[in-house]
Amino acid sequence: MRILFIVSSLFKGIMFNFALEMKIKNGSKVVKTSLTTLNAFEIVLMACIMLLALSSFFIKGEFSWQNCIAAISAVLGVFCVVLGAKGSLANWIFGMFEGFLHIVICFYTHMYGDFLQRIFWNLPMQFVGWKSWRKRELGDHTNRVKTRYMTWKQRGLTFLIVSVMTVLLGIFLKSFGPWMIDTLHGILPDMQFKTLKMDYDQEAQLWLDAFTTVLSIVTLYISVKAFVEQWYMWLVINVSYITMWLMSDSEFSFMTVAKYSVYLINTFYGIWMWNKLSKTK
């Protein structure tokens, strides 16, 4: 509980500073503008992702407060990904609240690996992303960002970083993953990790797991910088996730593949929209 108290206090402190900035920028108007300017395709896409995200919640039939938080987090996540493809600043507002709720979920489900990634990377980057995109906001009162392209040097450096970190993480998962899990379970029996597993159905899953983990972290940073290339990276991530879950015998495989398939559609929309935004003056 002490950890959760610290997280809550930290979030409140960040929220206070963020609220002062949002008062100047009038964040409620940003959200209202983004939602009222959704086109028919965006609404349908959002409805499809939301339906898939909430399906497992109703299929399980377990209506505990933890599952209710998970459902709310899923809905916020839907707004986040679709508004991200739209290039809207509101993407970071929804992402901020979704990130905090996901941290709470990870804490209570003992998913400490995902917990650490979310609290030290994903959540802080929502605030960084807001500030970064605000500086590149288009002057057409749509609260959308002016996108840009990476240089070939930046693309090469990104490819190198992802390749090296994937190999290192893959070797770590293969050589030390089970040992670390055993050691940590000896300290905290309920501890679980999203990435670390005792075994994989196939070794290819291990490397896909390492690849998607590294690429997701790097892509979030690329997104903050408003580079169009992030959507091609999300395209690779979604295809990799679909491939990884098709290899799995898990009961959640079908639902997960369906969810990432719709995310894949959103990715193509993001590619089209962000290329278009890069040409907007």
Side-chain angles (χ1 to χ4, degrees), residues 220-272:
L220 181 55
Y221 176 78
I222 301 299
S223 174
V224 166
K225 294 298 183 179
F227 287 123
V228 175
E229 286 80 358
Q230 67 142 325
W231 289 104
Y232 295 99
M233 296 168 73
W234 285 123
L235 175 64
V236 175
I237 291 171
N238 287 323
V239 171
S240 297
Y241 270 126
I242 291 172
T243 303
M244 185 170 65
W245 281 98
L246 284 174
M247 295 179 182
S248 175
D249 296 326
S250 170
E251 59 182 311
F252 302 107
S253 296
F254 174 77
M255 191 64 65
T256 305
V257 169
K259 181 178 71 173
Y260 279 108
S261 295
V262 181
Y263 280 159
L264 189 62
I265 297 174
N266 185 66
T267 301
F268 284 112
Y269 180 64
I271 291 174
W272 176 78

Short mmCIF file of all heavy atoms in Angstrom, two decimals, residues 220-272:
data_model
loop_
_atom_site.label_atom_id
_atom_site.label_comp_id
_atom_site.label_asym_id
_atom_site.label_seq_id
_atom_site.Cartn_x
_atom_site.Cartn_y
_atom_site.Cartn_z
N LEU A 220 7.24 5.34 -28.72
CA LEU A 220 6.58 6.36 -27.91
C LEU A 220 7.40 7.65 -27.92
O LEU A 220 6.85 8.75 -28.00
CB LEU A 220 6.39 5.86 -26.47
CG LEU A 220 5.70 6.83 -25.51
CD1 LEU A 220 4.35 7.27 -26.06
CD2 LEU A 220 5.54 6.19 -24.13
N TYR A 221 8.71 7.51 -27.86
CA TYR A 221 9.58 8.69 -27.92
C TYR A 221 9.48 9.36 -29.30
O TYR A 221 9.41 10.59 -29.39
CB TYR A 221 11.03 8.28 -27.66
CG TYR A 221 12.02 9.42 -27.81
CD1 TYR A 221 12.17 10.36 -26.80
CD2 TYR A 221 12.78 9.56 -28.97
CE1 TYR A 221 13.05 11.43 -26.95
CE2 TYR A 221 13.67 10.62 -29.12
CZ TYR A 221 13.80 11.55 -28.10
OH TYR A 221 14.68 12.60 -28.25
N ILE A 222 9.44 8.56 -30.35
CA ILE A 222 9.31 9.09 -31.71
C ILE A 222 7.97 9.82 -31.85
O ILE A 222 7.87 10.85 -32.53
CB ILE A 222 9.40 7.95 -32.75
CG1 ILE A 222 10.74 7.22 -32.65
CG2 ILE A 222 9.19 8.50 -34.16
CD1 ILE A 222 11.94 8.10 -32.89
N SER A 223 6.94 9.30 -31.19
CA SER A 223 5.62 9.93 -31.22
C SER A 223 5.66 11.30 -30.56
O SER A 223 5.05 12.26 -31.05
CB SER A 223 4.60 9.04 -30.50
OG SER A 223 3.35 9.68 -30.39
N VAL A 224 6.36 11.40 -29.43
CA VAL A 224 6.49 12.67 -28.72
C VAL A 224 7.11 13.74 -29.63
O VAL A 224 6.72 14.90 -29.59
CB VAL A 224 7.34 12.49 -27.44
CG1 VAL A 224 7.78 13.84 -26.88
CG2 VAL A 224 6.55 11.72 -26.39
N LYS A 225 8.04 13.31 -30.46
CA LYS A 225 8.73 14.23 -31.37
C LYS A 225 7.90 14.54 -32.62
O LYS A 225 8.33 15.30 -33.48
CB LYS A 225 10.08 13.63 -31.78
CG LYS A 225 11.07 13.50 -30.63
CD LYS A 225 11.41 14.86 -30.05
CE LYS A 225 12.44 14.78 -28.95
NZ LYS A 225 12.77 16.12 -28.40
N ALA A 226 6.70 13.94 -32.70
CA ALA A 226 5.77 14.20 -33.81
C ALA A 226 6.33 13.79 -35.17
O ALA A 226 6.07 14.45 -36.19
CB ALA A 226 5.36 15.68 -33.84
N PHE A 227 7.07 12.70 -35.22
CA PHE A 227 7.59 12.18 -36.48
C PHE A 227 6.57 11.23 -37.13
O PHE A 227 6.00 10.36 -36.45
CB PHE A 227 8.91 11.43 -36.26
CG PHE A 227 10.08 12.32 -35.97
CD1 PHE A 227 10.83 12.15 -34.80
CD2 PHE A 227 10.46 13.32 -36.85
CE1 PHE A 227 11.92 12.97 -34.52
CE2 PHE A 227 11.55 14.14 -36.59
CZ PHE A 227 12.28 13.97 -35.42
N VAL A 228 6.37 11.39 -38.42
CA VAL A 228 5.44 10.54 -39.17
C VAL A 228 5.84 9.07 -39.07
O VAL A 228 4.98 8.18 -39.03
CB VAL A 228 5.40 10.97 -40.65
CG1 VAL A 228 4.52 10.03 -41.47
CG2 VAL A 228 4.90 12.41 -40.77
N GLU A 229 7.14 8.81 -39.01
CA GLU A 229 7.65 7.43 -39.01
C GLU A 229 7.13 6.58 -37.87
O GLU A 229 7.17 5.35 -37.93
CB GLU A 229 9.19 7.44 -38.98
CG GLU A 229 9.85 7.83 -40.29
CD GLU A 229 9.89 9.31 -40.54
OE1 GLU A 229 9.36 10.07 -39.70
OE2 GLU A 229 10.44 9.73 -41.57
N GLN A 230 6.63 7.23 -36.81
CA GLN A 230 6.12 6.44 -35.68
C GLN A 230 5.02 5.48 -36.12
O GLN A 230 4.90 4.37 -35.59
CB GLN A 230 5.59 7.36 -34.58
CG GLN A 230 4.35 8.15 -34.98
CD GLN A 230 3.34 8.29 -33.84
OE1 GLN A 230 3.17 7.39 -33.04
NE2 GLN A 230 2.70 9.44 -33.79
N TRP A 231 4.21 5.89 -37.11
CA TRP A 231 3.09 5.04 -37.52
C TRP A 231 3.55 3.83 -38.32
O TRP A 231 2.90 2.78 -38.28
CB TRP A 231 2.06 5.88 -38.30
CG TRP A 231 1.36 6.80 -37.36
CD1 TRP A 231 1.56 8.15 -37.21
CD2 TRP A 231 0.39 6.43 -36.37
NE1 TRP A 231 0.77 8.63 -36.20
CE2 TRP A 231 0.05 7.61 -35.67
CE3 TRP A 231 -0.21 5.22 -36.01
CZ2 TRP A 231 -0.88 7.60 -34.62
CZ3 TRP A 231 -1.13 5.21 -34.98
CH2 TRP A 231 -1.46 6.39 -34.30
N TYR A 232 4.65 3.96 -39.02
CA TYR A 232 5.21 2.78 -39.68
C TYR A 232 5.78 1.82 -38.63
O TYR A 232 5.75 0.60 -38.81
CB TYR A 232 6.31 3.21 -40.66
CG TYR A 232 5.78 4.05 -41.81
CD1 TYR A 232 5.89 5.44 -41.79
CD2 TYR A 232 5.17 3.45 -42.90
CE1 TYR A 232 5.39 6.21 -42.83
CE2 TYR A 232 4.67 4.21 -43.96
CZ TYR A 232 4.78 5.59 -43.91
OH TYR A 232 4.27 6.35 -44.94
N MET A 233 6.28 2.39 -37.53
CA MET A 233 6.79 1.58 -36.43
C MET A 233 5.64 0.89 -35.70
O MET A 233 5.73 -0.29 -35.34
CB MET A 233 7.61 2.45 -35.48
CG MET A 233 8.86 3.04 -36.14
SD MET A 233 9.68 4.34 -35.20
CE MET A 233 10.44 3.37 -33.89
N TRP A 234 4.52 1.61 -35.50
CA TRP A 234 3.35 0.98 -34.89
C TRP A 234 2.79 -0.12 -35.80
O TRP A 234 2.26 -1.12 -35.32
CB TRP A 234 2.26 2.02 -34.62
CG TRP A 234 2.51 2.92 -33.45
CD1 TRP A 234 2.57 4.29 -33.46
CD2 TRP A 234 2.75 2.53 -32.09
NE1 TRP A 234 2.84 4.76 -32.20
CE2 TRP A 234 2.94 3.72 -31.34
CE3 TRP A 234 2.82 1.30 -31.44
CZ2 TRP A 234 3.20 3.70 -29.97
CZ3 TRP A 234 3.08 1.27 -30.07
CH2 TRP A 234 3.27 2.46 -29.35
N LEU A 235 2.93 0.08 -37.11
CA LEU A 235 2.50 -0.94 -38.05
C LEU A 235 3.27 -2.24 -37.83
O LEU A 235 2.69 -3.32 -37.75
CB LEU A 235 2.72 -0.44 -39.49
CG LEU A 235 2.43 -1.42 -40.63
CD1 LEU A 235 0.96 -1.78 -40.66
CD2 LEU A 235 2.85 -0.81 -41.97
N VAL A 236 4.58 -2.12 -37.69
CA VAL A 236 5.43 -3.29 -37.43
C VAL A 236 5.08 -3.92 -36.08
O VAL A 236 5.00 -5.14 -35.95
CB VAL A 236 6.92 -2.88 -37.46
CG1 VAL A 236 7.80 -4.06 -37.06
CG2 VAL A 236 7.31 -2.38 -38.85
N ILE A 237 4.84 -3.07 -35.08
CA ILE A 237 4.50 -3.57 -33.73
C ILE A 237 3.20 -4.36 -33.76
O ILE A 237 3.12 -5.47 -33.21
CB ILE A 237 4.38 -2.39 -32.74
CG1 ILE A 237 5.76 -1.78 -32.48
CG2 ILE A 237 3.76 -2.86 -31.42
CD1 ILE A 237 5.72 -0.49 -31.67
N ASN A 238 2.17 -3.82 -34.40
CA ASN A 238 0.88 -4.49 -34.44
C ASN A 238 0.94 -5.81 -35.20
O ASN A 238 0.34 -6.81 -34.78
CB ASN A 238 -0.17 -3.57 -35.05
CG ASN A 238 -0.57 -2.43 -34.12
OD1 ASN A 238 -0.66 -2.61 -32.92
ND2 ASN A 238 -0.80 -1.26 -34.68
N VAL A 239 1.66 -5.82 -36.32
CA VAL A 239 1.82 -7.06 -37.08
C VAL A 239 2.58 -8.09 -36.23
O VAL A 239 2.24 -9.28 -36.21
CB VAL A 239 2.57 -6.81 -38.40
CG1 VAL A 239 2.94 -8.12 -39.07
CG2 VAL A 239 1.72 -5.96 -39.35
N SER A 240 3.59 -7.63 -35.49
CA SER A 240 4.37 -8.53 -34.64
C SER A 240 3.52 -9.10 -33.51
O SER A 240 3.60 -10.28 -33.19
CB SER A 240 5.58 -7.78 -34.05
OG SER A 240 6.45 -7.34 -35.06
N TYR A 241 2.67 -8.25 -32.91
CA TYR A 241 1.78 -8.71 -31.84
C TYR A 241 0.79 -9.75 -32.37
O TYR A 241 0.51 -10.76 -31.73
CB TYR A 241 1.02 -7.54 -31.23
CG TYR A 241 1.73 -6.89 -30.07
CD1 TYR A 241 1.99 -5.52 -30.05
CD2 TYR A 241 2.14 -7.64 -28.97
CE1 TYR A 241 2.64 -4.92 -28.99
CE2 TYR A 241 2.78 -7.05 -27.90
CZ TYR A 241 3.03 -5.69 -27.91
OH TYR A 241 3.68 -5.10 -26.85
N ILE A 242 0.24 -9.47 -33.55
CA ILE A 242 -0.71 -10.42 -34.15
C ILE A 242 -0.02 -11.76 -34.39
O ILE A 242 -0.57 -12.82 -34.09
CB ILE A 242 -1.27 -9.85 -35.47
CG1 ILE A 242 -2.18 -8.65 -35.18
CG2 ILE A 242 -2.05 -10.93 -36.24
CD1 ILE A 242 -2.63 -7.90 -36.42
N THR A 243 1.19 -11.71 -34.94
CA THR A 243 1.96 -12.94 -35.20
C THR A 243 2.25 -13.68 -33.91
O THR A 243 2.10 -14.92 -33.83
CB THR A 243 3.29 -12.60 -35.90
OG1 THR A 243 3.03 -11.88 -37.11
CG2 THR A 243 4.08 -13.86 -36.21
N MET A 244 2.65 -12.95 -32.87
CA MET A 244 3.00 -13.56 -31.60
C MET A 244 1.79 -14.24 -30.96
O MET A 244 1.90 -15.36 -30.44
CB MET A 244 3.56 -12.49 -30.65
CG MET A 244 4.06 -13.04 -29.31
SD MET A 244 4.96 -11.78 -28.37
CE MET A 244 3.66 -10.59 -28.02
N TRP A 245 0.64 -13.60 -31.02
CA TRP A 245 -0.55 -14.18 -30.40
C TRP A 245 -1.16 -15.30 -31.23
O TRP A 245 -1.83 -16.18 -30.71
CB TRP A 245 -1.58 -13.09 -30.12
CG TRP A 245 -1.25 -12.31 -28.89
CD1 TRP A 245 -0.60 -11.11 -28.81
CD2 TRP A 245 -1.51 -12.70 -27.54
NE1 TRP A 245 -0.44 -10.73 -27.51
CE2 TRP A 245 -0.99 -11.68 -26.70
CE3 TRP A 245 -2.13 -13.81 -26.96
CZ2 TRP A 245 -1.08 -11.74 -25.31
CZ3 TRP A 245 -2.22 -13.87 -25.57
CH2 TRP A 245 -1.70 -12.86 -24.76
N LEU A 246 -0.91 -15.28 -32.54
CA LEU A 246 -1.36 -16.40 -33.37
C LEU A 246 -0.58 -17.67 -33.03
O LEU A 246 -1.08 -18.79 -33.23
CB LEU A 246 -1.18 -16.06 -34.86
CG LEU A 246 -2.21 -15.11 -35.48
CD1 LEU A 246 -1.81 -14.75 -36.90
CD2 LEU A 246 -3.61 -15.72 -35.45
N MET A 247 0.64 -17.50 -32.51
CA MET A 247 1.45 -18.64 -32.10
C MET A 247 1.04 -19.18 -30.74
O MET A 247 1.42 -20.29 -30.36
CB MET A 247 2.94 -18.23 -32.02
CG MET A 247 3.56 -17.84 -33.33
SD MET A 247 5.29 -17.36 -33.06
CE MET A 247 5.78 -16.89 -34.72
N SER A 248 0.29 -18.39 -29.99
CA SER A 248 -0.04 -18.76 -28.62
C SER A 248 -1.30 -19.62 -28.54
O SER A 248 -2.20 -19.51 -29.37
CB SER A 248 -0.24 -17.49 -27.78
OG SER A 248 -0.68 -17.79 -26.49
N ASP A 249 -1.33 -20.49 -27.53
CA ASP A 249 -2.50 -21.32 -27.28
C ASP A 249 -3.38 -20.73 -26.19
O ASP A 249 -4.28 -21.40 -25.67
CB ASP A 249 -2.06 -22.74 -26.86
CG ASP A 249 -1.32 -23.46 -27.98
OD1 ASP A 249 -1.67 -23.23 -29.14
OD2 ASP A 249 -0.39 -24.24 -27.67
N SER A 250 -3.14 -19.49 -25.81
CA SER A 250 -3.87 -18.85 -24.73
C SER A 250 -5.34 -18.68 -25.08
O SER A 250 -5.72 -18.52 -26.24
CB SER A 250 -3.26 -17.48 -24.42
OG SER A 250 -4.09 -16.75 -23.54
N GLU A 251 -6.19 -18.70 -24.05
CA GLU A 251 -7.63 -18.51 -24.25
C GLU A 251 -7.95 -17.08 -24.71
O GLU A 251 -9.04 -16.81 -25.21
CB GLU A 251 -8.38 -18.80 -22.94
CG GLU A 251 -7.94 -17.92 -21.78
CD GLU A 251 -8.65 -18.25 -20.49
OE1 GLU A 251 -9.89 -18.36 -20.51
OE2 GLU A 251 -7.97 -18.40 -19.46
N PHE A 252 -6.99 -16.18 -24.53
CA PHE A 252 -7.19 -14.79 -24.92
C PHE A 252 -6.67 -14.49 -26.32
O PHE A 252 -6.73 -13.36 -26.77
CB PHE A 252 -6.49 -13.87 -23.92
CG PHE A 252 -6.96 -14.04 -22.50
CD1 PHE A 252 -6.14 -14.67 -21.57
CD2 PHE A 252 -8.20 -13.60 -22.10
CE1 PHE A 252 -6.56 -14.84 -20.26
CE2 PHE A 252 -8.63 -13.76 -20.79
CZ PHE A 252 -7.80 -14.39 -19.87
N SER A 253 -6.15 -15.51 -27.00
CA SER A 253 -5.50 -15.29 -28.30
C SER A 253 -6.44 -14.67 -29.32
O SER A 253 -6.08 -13.69 -29.98
CB SER A 253 -4.95 -16.61 -28.84
OG SER A 253 -3.94 -17.10 -28.00
N PHE A 254 -7.64 -15.24 -29.47
CA PHE A 254 -8.56 -14.76 -30.50
C PHE A 254 -8.92 -13.30 -30.27
O PHE A 254 -8.88 -12.47 -31.19
CB PHE A 254 -9.84 -15.60 -30.53
CG PHE A 254 -10.89 -15.08 -31.47
CD1 PHE A 254 -10.78 -15.28 -32.84
CD2 PHE A 254 -11.98 -14.36 -30.99
CE1 PHE A 254 -11.74 -14.78 -33.71
CE2 PHE A 254 -12.94 -13.85 -31.85
CZ PHE A 254 -12.82 -14.06 -33.21
N MET A 255 -9.29 -12.96 -29.02
CA MET A 255 -9.69 -11.59 -28.70
C MET A 255 -8.53 -10.62 -28.90
O MET A 255 -8.71 -9.50 -29.40
CB MET A 255 -10.20 -11.52 -27.26
CG MET A 255 -10.88 -10.21 -26.90
SD MET A 255 -12.39 -9.92 -27.84
CE MET A 255 -13.43 -11.25 -27.23
N THR A 256 -7.34 -11.05 -28.51
CA THR A 256 -6.17 -10.19 -28.62
C THR A 256 -5.80 -9.95 -30.08
O THR A 256 -5.48 -8.82 -30.48
CB THR A 256 -4.96 -10.80 -27.88
OG1 THR A 256 -5.33 -11.08 -26.53
CG2 THR A 256 -3.78 -9.86 -27.90
N VAL A 257 -5.86 -11.01 -30.90
CA VAL A 257 -5.59 -10.87 -32.33
C VAL A 257 -6.61 -9.94 -32.98
O VAL A 257 -6.26 -9.08 -33.81
CB VAL A 257 -5.60 -12.25 -33.02
CG1 VAL A 257 -5.59 -12.08 -34.54
CG2 VAL A 257 -4.40 -13.08 -32.59
N ALA A 258 -7.87 -10.08 -32.60
CA ALA A 258 -8.92 -9.23 -33.15
C ALA A 258 -8.68 -7.77 -32.77
O ALA A 258 -8.82 -6.86 -33.61
CB ALA A 258 -10.29 -9.68 -32.62
N LYS A 259 -8.28 -7.53 -31.52
CA LYS A 259 -8.03 -6.16 -31.05
C LYS A 259 -6.88 -5.53 -31.81
O LYS A 259 -7.00 -4.39 -32.30
CB LYS A 259 -7.72 -6.16 -29.56
CG LYS A 259 -7.49 -4.77 -28.99
CD LYS A 259 -7.24 -4.82 -27.50
CE LYS A 259 -5.90 -5.44 -27.17
NZ LYS A 259 -5.58 -5.34 -25.73
N TYR A 260 -5.78 -6.27 -31.96
CA TYR A 260 -4.63 -5.71 -32.66
C TYR A 260 -4.87 -5.59 -34.17
O TYR A 260 -4.22 -4.78 -34.84
CB TYR A 260 -3.38 -6.54 -32.38
CG TYR A 260 -2.74 -6.19 -31.05
CD1 TYR A 260 -2.82 -7.07 -29.98
CD2 TYR A 260 -2.08 -4.99 -30.86
CE1 TYR A 260 -2.26 -6.75 -28.74
CE2 TYR A 260 -1.52 -4.65 -29.64
CZ TYR A 260 -1.62 -5.54 -28.59
OH TYR A 260 -1.06 -5.21 -27.38
N SER A 261 -5.81 -6.36 -34.68
CA SER A 261 -6.17 -6.23 -36.09
C SER A 261 -6.86 -4.89 -36.35
O SER A 261 -6.62 -4.23 -37.36
CB SER A 261 -7.08 -7.39 -36.52
OG SER A 261 -6.40 -8.62 -36.45
N VAL A 262 -7.73 -4.49 -35.41
CA VAL A 262 -8.39 -3.20 -35.54
C VAL A 262 -7.38 -2.08 -35.29
O VAL A 262 -7.43 -1.02 -35.94
CB VAL A 262 -9.57 -3.08 -34.56
CG1 VAL A 262 -10.28 -1.75 -34.73
CG2 VAL A 262 -10.56 -4.22 -34.79
N TYR A 263 -6.46 -2.29 -34.34
CA TYR A 263 -5.38 -1.33 -34.14
C TYR A 263 -4.58 -1.15 -35.42
O TYR A 263 -4.09 -0.06 -35.73
CB TYR A 263 -4.44 -1.80 -33.03
CG TYR A 263 -4.93 -1.54 -31.62
CD1 TYR A 263 -4.42 -2.27 -30.56
CD2 TYR A 263 -5.88 -0.57 -31.36
CE1 TYR A 263 -4.85 -2.04 -29.26
CE2 TYR A 263 -6.32 -0.34 -30.07
CZ TYR A 263 -5.81 -1.07 -29.03
OH TYR A 263 -6.24 -0.84 -27.75
N LEU A 264 -4.45 -2.25 -36.17
CA LEU A 264 -3.70 -2.21 -37.43
C LEU A 264 -4.39 -1.28 -38.43
O LEU A 264 -3.74 -0.51 -39.14
CB LEU A 264 -3.59 -3.62 -38.01
CG LEU A 264 -2.67 -3.82 -39.22
CD1 LEU A 264 -1.24 -3.46 -38.85
CD2 LEU A 264 -2.74 -5.27 -39.71
N ILE A 265 -5.72 -1.33 -38.45
CA ILE A 265 -6.48 -0.43 -39.32
C ILE A 265 -6.24 1.02 -38.90
O ILE A 265 -6.04 1.91 -39.73
CB ILE A 265 -7.99 -0.77 -39.27
CG1 ILE A 265 -8.23 -2.19 -39.80
CG2 ILE A 265 -8.80 0.26 -40.06
CD1 ILE A 265 -9.66 -2.66 -39.64
N ASN A 266 -6.25 1.25 -37.58
CA ASN A 266 -5.99 2.59 -37.05
C ASN A 266 -4.59 3.07 -37.43
O ASN A 266 -4.37 4.26 -37.68
CB ASN A 266 -6.14 2.59 -35.53
CG ASN A 266 -6.00 3.98 -34.92
OD1 ASN A 266 -6.82 4.85 -35.15
ND2 ASN A 266 -4.94 4.18 -34.15
N THR A 267 -3.65 2.13 -37.51
CA THR A 267 -2.28 2.47 -37.89
C THR A 267 -2.22 2.98 -39.32
O THR A 267 -1.55 3.98 -39.61
CB THR A 267 -1.36 1.24 -37.75
OG1 THR A 267 -1.39 0.78 -36.40
CG2 THR A 267 0.07 1.58 -38.13
N PHE A 268 -2.92 2.31 -40.23
CA PHE A 268 -2.95 2.77 -41.63
C PHE A 268 -3.61 4.15 -41.72
O PHE A 268 -3.18 5.00 -42.52
CB PHE A 268 -3.71 1.77 -42.50
CG PHE A 268 -2.94 0.52 -42.82
CD1 PHE A 268 -3.32 -0.71 -42.31
CD2 PHE A 268 -1.81 0.58 -43.62
CE1 PHE A 268 -2.61 -1.86 -42.60
CE2 PHE A 268 -1.08 -0.56 -43.91
CZ PHE A 268 -1.48 -1.79 -43.40
N TYR A 269 -4.63 4.36 -40.89
CA TYR A 269 -5.27 5.68 -40.85
C TYR A 269 -4.29 6.73 -40.34
O TYR A 269 -4.23 7.84 -40.86
CB TYR A 269 -6.51 5.63 -39.97
CG TYR A 269 -7.24 6.96 -39.88
CD1 TYR A 269 -7.81 7.53 -41.01
CD2 TYR A 269 -7.35 7.64 -38.66
CE1 TYR A 269 -8.48 8.75 -40.94
CE2 TYR A 269 -8.01 8.85 -38.59
CZ TYR A 269 -8.58 9.40 -39.73
OH TYR A 269 -9.22 10.61 -39.66
N GLY A 270 -3.51 6.36 -39.32
CA GLY A 270 -2.51 7.27 -38.78
C GLY A 270 -1.45 7.63 -39.81
O GLY A 270 -1.02 8.78 -39.91
N ILE A 271 -1.02 6.64 -40.60
CA ILE A 271 -0.03 6.90 -41.66
C ILE A 271 -0.58 7.91 -42.66
O ILE A 271 0.09 8.87 -43.04
CB ILE A 271 0.34 5.58 -42.38
CG1 ILE A 271 1.13 4.67 -41.44
CG2 ILE A 271 1.15 5.88 -43.65
CD1 ILE A 271 1.41 3.29 -42.02
N TRP A 272 -1.82 7.69 -43.09
CA TRP A 272 -2.44 8.59 -44.06
C TRP A 272 -2.62 9.99 -43.49
O TRP A 272 -2.26 10.99 -44.13
CB TRP A 272 -3.81 8.03 -44.49
CG TRP A 272 -4.55 8.93 -45.42
CD1 TRP A 272 -4.33 9.10 -46.76
CD2 TRP A 272 -5.63 9.83 -45.08
NE1 TRP A 272 -5.21 10.04 -47.27
CE2 TRP A 272 -6.01 10.50 -46.26
CE3 TRP A 272 -6.30 10.11 -43.89
CZ2 TRP A 272 -7.04 11.43 -46.28
CZ3 TRP A 272 -7.31 11.05 -43.90
CH2 TRP A 272 -7.67 11.70 -45.09
#
